[in-house]
Each structure stands twice: as C-alpha cells, then as structure tokens.
Amino acid sequence: MQEKLQLLKELQGLDLELINIRESRKEIEKEQALLNADLERIQSMVSSLVSEIEGLQTERRELGRALDQEQDNVEKAEGRLPSIKTQKEYVAVLKEVDTAKKLNKEIEDRILAKDSEIEVLERDREEKQQELADLMARVESRQAEISGALGGFDKTLDEKAVQRESLLQGLATQLRKRYQLLLDRRNGIAVVEARNGACLGCNMHLPPQLFNSLYTATEVLTCPHCNRLLYIENGQ
Ligand SMILES: [Zn+2]
C-alpha cells in the first residue's frame, strides 16, 4: 500500500514538473512570437515608407518634366519677340510669356514642397531602418538563446515522459485511469496530503473515520469533496 502511494506521489511530483516545463516552454514561445511580430511591424513600416517615397519621387519627376516643358515654351515665345511686327501681337506674346512664367513659378513651388516632403520621409525611413537593424540584431541573439532553451525543454520533456510511462506501468489500470482523469479535471493535482483532518487539495474537512482509516487503509482512499487521491505523511 505504501509503495502504491509512494509511486503516486512520485508521479504527481513528476507531472507538476512537466506542467511547469510546458508552461515555461509556452512563455518562451510567446516571447518568440512577440519578437517576430515586432520585426514584422517595423519591416512593414519601412516598406510602406519606401513605397510612399517612390510615389512622391514619381510625382517629383513629372513636375520636373512639366517645368522643362514650360521653360521651353517661355524660351520659344521670347525667341519670337524680335521678329514680331505688330504691337498687338507683341502684347499677346508678352502676356503668353508672363503666364508661362507664373506657371513655372507655381511648378517650382510644388517641386520644393515635394522635395521637402520626400526629405522628411527619407529621414523617417532611415530612422525606421536603423530601428529595424537594431531589433534584428537583438532578435538574432535572443533567437539563438530561445532555440537553445526550447531544445533543452524538449529534451527534458522527452526524458520525463519516459520516466512517467515507467511509473504509470507500476499502477493498476483502474488506478492509472483515475489518476489521469483527476489530473485533467483538477488542474494537474490528483494526489494530495491529508493533514489535521483535512484534505489539502480542497481544504475541506474529511470525515474523522475516513481520516483515521488513512493510517491503515489497504486501498487508496479519495477525498469525498474533490475526489483527489489521499495520502498521509508518516508520523502524523
Ligand atoms: Zn479534497
């Protein structure tokens, strides 16, 4: 009987270790996912800045071409002036030149505005690229640690699973099933100590007769409140 309880206690201890290891493993996987999400976030910020800058540069080139065209028009119109015969035509061409020059000024202003817009975004992009490079360096070194830790956890989990299997083999099928069921339903705690007349699993008082029979029982007894398997420490 004591042997059976000893085995159950060992199994319970092992299962608690397994639960803790799985929990730690999950935490570190969560950290890994967060790091990757951070990387993706900054990467997508950089690429949207890049495409925004490209769009502005295309507009900037179009404005440049429009300016060239208008300057051409001004030169052509001014070139015509010396050969003009009538006052009326002269005035008309001057007006044409004036309009074209105004338009040029407008285009130049738009080019300047576009250039400063591009400059701001370029600075933004450089900043974000630096941030990305820093984060990548950090993620890379942390990633190596994470991989190492995950590998370690998996190795330990495998080893403990083998130990667990061999402990389970020592239990009768019925008891093994009860243990597993309780483990699943009672938050990973299936085997608990009874002390001072109470179950330490649910902290409820045990009927005195049940508590007393824990000293002499030949079968594993269970708490009537939480159904957990009970043991009593020797010398109590
Ligand atoms: Zn209980």
Side-chain angles (χ1 to χ4, degrees), residues 186 192-193 198-206 222-230:
R186 293 278 179 266
V192 291
E193 189 189 342
C199 161
L200 294 191
C202 63
N203 292 317
M204 300 281 276
H205 273 283
L206 296 167
T222 60
C223 168
H225 309 292
C226 68
N227 288 320
R228 289 187 177 97
L229 310 174
L230 296 169

Side-chain angles (χ1 to χ4, degrees), residues 72-84 93 97:
D72 230 31
N73 289 344
V74 169
E75 275 167 35
K76 273 183 196 151
E78 281 175 338
R80 265 156 51 213
L81 284 174
S83 54
I84 285 171
V93 172
V97 168

Side-chain angles (χ1 to χ4, degrees), residues 54-165:
E54 278 169 1
L56 288 173
Q57 277 164 341
T58 304
E59 288 168 26
R60 166 70 177 81
R61 276 194 298 274
E62 278 160 13
L63 286 169
R65 275 195 291 273
L67 185 63
D68 286 347
Q69 182 71 48
E70 282 312 311
Q71 265 159 355
D72 230 31
N73 289 344
V74 169
E75 275 167 35
K76 273 183 196 151
E78 281 175 338
R80 265 156 51 213
L81 284 174
S83 54
I84 285 171
K85 305 279 184 293
T86 68
Q87 178 70 15
K88 195 180 161 198
E89 198 187 342
Y90 196 80
V91 170
V93 172
L94 275 186
K95 204 180 162 199
E96 197 183 312
V97 168
D98 192 46
T99 308
K101 278 185 175 169
K102 270 187 196 142
L103 192 56
N104 276 355
K105 179 76 183 68
E106 230 170 78
I107 296 172
E108 276 165 3
D109 287 348
R110 285 172 64 194
I111 286 176
L112 284 178
K114 202 61 78 182
D115 280 345
S116 67
E117 215 179 323
I118 290 172
E119 206 182 307
V120 168
L121 289 183
E122 293 272 19
R123 267 203 301 273
D124 234 19
R125 190 198 59 190
E126 274 163 32
E127 217 172 89
K128 284 278 166 291
Q129 264 169 340
Q130 189 54 52
E131 202 179 317
L132 183 63
D134 292 348
L135 183 63
M136 272 170 109
R138 255 194 304 143
V139 167
E140 213 173 293
S141 75
R142 184 65 188 133
Q143 191 66 52
E145 289 168 4
I146 288 176
S147 301
L150 288 178
F153 283 144
D154 287 342
K155 187 166 173 282
T156 312
L157 284 172
D158 283 349
E159 287 164 3
K160 296 213 180 280
V162 174
Q163 282 177 38
R164 182 176 197 270
E165 202 46 48

